[in-house]
């Protein structure tokens, strides 16, 4: 399967770096199966960092090798996903029991709903009801070196 990573530089050798931002699935190397989403991430990265060039790094992901790893997959925005994202976004925990976590990405359109849920203004049911109509793209968080070993760099594409 092809996966994409958007950044302000080509990433031929992915590494687990400490993030200064609280992310959906915690500390990880993030990818998506959606090239357009990776392209948006790349452009956002350039704006946020104020340097570099928007590049989408393309990888082949070895699904056979990854099947031997500990994985957590959220098939959609459900209660378990909402709680997991909430814990990570609020820096309450960085669950490292998994090598790979995949599922919907909380994007700019979903963050107002999630923020109101985090503040207690929306119940879990109300937050999920508001998230379901949104077209949430996917994300793959590779959380360990064993997961990163499943990636083979193909190319970097300027966007």
């Amino acid at each position: 399967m092809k996966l994409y990573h958007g950044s302000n530089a080509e990433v031929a050798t992915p590494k687990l770096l400490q993030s200064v931002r609280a992310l959906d699935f915690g500390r990880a190397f993030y990818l998506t199966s959606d090239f357009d989403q990776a392209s948006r991430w790349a452009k956002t990265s350039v704006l946020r960092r104020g340097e570099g060039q928007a590049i989408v790094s393309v990888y082949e992901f070895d699904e056979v090798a990854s099947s031997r790893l500990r994985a957590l997959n959220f098939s959609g925005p459900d209660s378990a996903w909402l709680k997991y994202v909430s814990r990570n976004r609020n820096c309450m925990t960085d669950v490292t029991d998994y090598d790979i976590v995949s599922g919907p990405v909380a994007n700019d359109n979903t963050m107002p709903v999630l923020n109101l849920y985090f503040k207690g203004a929306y119940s879990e049911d109300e937050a999920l009801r508001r998230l379901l109509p949104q077209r949430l793209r996917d994300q793959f968080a590779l959380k360990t070196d064993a997961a990163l070993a499943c990636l083979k760099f193909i190319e970097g594409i300027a966007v």
Side-chain angles (χ1 to χ4, degrees), residues 5 10-17 29-31 57 59 142 144-145 148-149 151-153:
H5 174 81
E10 181 178 278
V11 182
T13 308
K15 295 178 183 154
L16 296 172
L17 303 174
F29 184 73
Y30 283 80
L31 304 112
S57 296
Y59 305 89
L142 307 188
T144 63
D145 289 333
L148 291 176
L151 288 178
K152 179 184 175 199
F153 178 75

Side-chain angles (χ1 to χ4, degrees), residues 40-59:
R40 285 191 300 278
W41 284 348
K43 292 170 185 173
T44 299
S45 181
V46 169
L47 290 173
R48 185 178 289 128
R49 294 179 177 153
E51 64 182 16
Q53 180 182 8
I55 303 283
V56 173
S57 296
V58 183
Y59 305 89

Side-chain angles (χ1 to χ4, degrees), residues 26-85:
R27 180 176 172 259
F29 184 73
Y30 283 80
L31 304 112
T32 180
S33 65
D34 185 296
F35 183 87
D36 291 335
Q37 178 173 289
S39 179
R40 285 191 300 278
W41 284 348
K43 292 170 185 173
T44 299
S45 181
V46 169
L47 290 173
R48 185 178 289 128
R49 294 179 177 153
E51 64 182 16
Q53 180 182 8
I55 303 283
V56 173
S57 296
V58 183
Y59 305 89
E60 185 62 37
F61 182 68
D62 187 339
E63 293 177 86
V64 173
S66 72
S67 69
R68 295 186 289 273
L69 301 177
R70 298 162 299 164
L72 175 61
N73 177 45
F74 296 103
S75 59
D78 60 13
S79 176
W81 173 83
L82 186 60
K83 289 175 183 172
Y84 192 88
V85 169

Side-chain angles (χ1 to χ4, degrees), residues 91-102:
C91 300
M92 293 168 63
T93 184
D94 183 3
V95 179
T96 55
D97 292 342
Y98 300 99
D99 298 294
I100 302 168
V101 179
S102 63

Side-chain angles (χ1 to χ4, degrees), residues 21 24 34 37 40-41 44 48 81 85 89 103-115 118 130-131 133-139:
R21 297 180 310 128
D24 292 354
D34 185 296
Q37 178 173 289
R40 285 191 300 278
W41 284 348
T44 299
R48 185 178 289 128
W81 173 83
V85 169
R89 285 276 180 168
V105 61
N107 58 27
D108 291 343
N109 296 330
T110 61
M111 284 316 296
V113 172
L114 291 176
N115 284 332
F118 298 156
R130 291 176 180 267
L131 289 171
Q134 303 206 30
R135 196 170 143 229
L136 303 180
R137 306 257 195 246
D138 65 13
Q139 63 183 337

